Amino acid sequence: MITENILVLSEEEIKEKILQKGNIPKHIAIIMDGNGRWAQKRGLPRSAGHQAGVKTVKRVVQAAGEIKVSILTLFTFSTENWERPKSEVAAIMKLLYDATRQEMKELEEKNVRLITTGRIDQLSFQRRNILKKAISRTKNNTGLVLNLALNYSGRMEIIDAVKKLAQDVKNNKIKSGQIDEKLFHDYLYTDGLPDPDLLIRTSGEMRLSNFLLWQAAYTELYVTEVLWPDFSEKDFYLAIWDYQTRERRFGKV
Ligand code: IPE
Ligand code: IPE
Ligand code: MG
């Protein structure tokens, strides 16, 4: 729990504290929510909120790298988000394209490896291409893994895994008796990634919104009222501080 005495500390002091504790979560997933409300509060179009949100992404990627988080998964665009007004979807897609193009060099220099999770094949050719380029340019980097969940839906991911599994059973590649949690995990989009230790959601909503349904089975949840464009390095470190005070029992005693 976040208490008064931690809140008075500066960003640097909290960072120091969490590094001293040592158990930095290996994999952090974030539902970056509240861009629209942030813009609305200022009488701006929703796209201005998304634009401000990109700046937060940069801050959080930098902060995660500094404290040696291994994987940062960001819920960037859900499959359901296609149903927003056309102009908003276009604005988000343009930001995605521009940010990937502009930040590629910096990701490369900062030793960040970019990967994606979701049905990328359904993005336009141009967007797929710029992502592929950034993924390929950063593929040998050994620092933070930045995983963008794009056109992602947790239920669709499970359905896609089941379809692939059924195909492999049909083709005698595996026997149905071999199917267990570990094998199933390998069929998910996140193949090879460990489950998130900590899931942060900004702007107060207490729901998963179809994010990492399988993977978050034992993930620690942290919800803050702060809107994504306002989410600071200090807020990020506070979430980790809170995580470090939890006892993860995994159903045991
Ligand atoms: C999150 O902010 C960004 C995306 C879903 C792409 P929202 O756009 O959902 O912001 P709110 O929830 O309407 O404030
Ligand atoms: C989840 O936020 C999706 C992303 C952050 C990309 P939403 O704003 O789409 O979720 P709901 O509508 O509040 O459930
Ligand atoms: Mg939202």
Side-chain angles (χ1 to χ4, degrees):
M1 220 176 61
I2 304 293
T3 52
E4 292 279 323
N5 38 0
I6 185 91
L7 282 173
V8 299
L9 299 182
S10 70
E11 174 200 323
E12 273 308 313
E13 285 167 329
I14 300 171
K15 182 179 175 189
E16 193 82 356
K17 266 190 181 293
I18 60 170
L19 285 171
Q20 264 166 16
K21 277 214 176 181
N23 61 328
I24 299 288
K26 271 179 77 148
H27 182 179
I28 300 179
I30 308 184
I31 302 177
M32 312 185 284
D33 199 16
N35 294 349
R37 275 162 281 178
W38 183 92
Q40 204 169 21
K41 270 190 5 193
R42 287 164 177 74
L44 297 169
R46 293 178 59 86
S47 58
H50 298 309
Q51 198 160 7
V54 175
K55 293 202 182 108
T56 308
V57 171
K58 285 188 69 173
R59 284 203 295 273
V60 171
V61 168
Q62 171 77 24
E66 280 175 21
I67 58 166
K68 304 252 181 310
V69 170
S70 304
I71 306 150
L72 180 69
T73 296
L74 301 179
F75 202 2
T76 308
F77 193 81
S78 77
T79 306
E80 292 78 14
N81 289 150
W82 291 112
E83 277 160 59
R84 292 187 178 199
K86 263 202 166 106
S87 58
E88 182 174 348
V89 172
I92 296 172
M93 287 299 155
K94 185 175 184 313
L95 277 170
L96 172 70
Y97 179 85
D98 290 348
T100 312
R101 196 170 51 83
Q102 279 159 21
E103 301 305 324
M104 214 179 300
K105 194 156 175 273
E106 183 143 350
L107 292 177
E108 209 176 0
E109 284 166 6
K110 293 242 163 83
N111 200 21
V112 176
R113 179 157 73 94
L114 183 76
I115 61 170
T116 58
T117 288
R119 283 195 184 170
I120 300 303
D121 50 316
Q122 286 169 354
L123 297 181
S124 77
F125 176 76
Q126 198 198 22
R127 284 152 202 153
R128 251 179 4 235
N129 245 17
I130 198 80
L131 282 164
K132 273 192 195 156
K133 202 168 158 188
I135 290 167
S136 145
R137 263 177 74 170
T138 61
K139 72 172 191 292
N140 294 322
N141 283 356
T142 53
L144 176 74
V145 173
L146 173 60
N147 179 24
L148 299 184
L150 271 170
N151 191 17
Y152 176 85
S153 145
R155 284 189 172 175
M156 200 170 72
E157 177 184 34
I158 293 171
I159 300 278
D160 282 349
V162 170
K163 280 187 187 160
K164 267 200 283 174
L165 253 173
Q167 201 61 41
D168 283 355
V169 171
K170 195 175 149 210
N171 296 336
N172 285 320
K173 276 204 200 158
I174 51 160
K175 294 195 172 69
S176 63
Q178 283 176 286
I179 303 171
D180 59 10
E181 285 187 19
K182 197 180 163 297
L183 184 95
F184 190 74
H185 196 269
D186 295 342
Y187 279 80
L188 294 168
Y189 302 152
T190 50
D191 165 33
L193 291 183
D195 291 340
D197 302 292
L198 170 64
L199 171 63
I200 300 171
R201 182 165 188 153
T202 57
S203 46
E205 239 73 71
M206 303 273 189
R207 54 175 172 259
L208 285 177
S209 299
N210 210 1
F211 191 40
L212 303 177
L213 297 182
W214 174 277
Q215 297 87 340
Y218 269 103
T219 300
E220 293 295 326
L221 308 179
Y222 179 89
V223 176
T224 170
E225 292 292 327
V226 178
L227 305 174
W228 180 250
D230 292 328
F231 191 72
S232 64
E233 287 89 337
K234 181 170 171 177
D235 293 317
F236 181 63
Y237 296 143
L238 274 174
I240 295 169
W241 185 86
D242 191 74
Y243 165 87
Q244 289 177 328
T245 65
R246 314 259 184 106
E247 189 195 347
R248 300 184 76 187
R249 286 192 289 274
F250 300 96
K252 300 165 198 155
V253 290

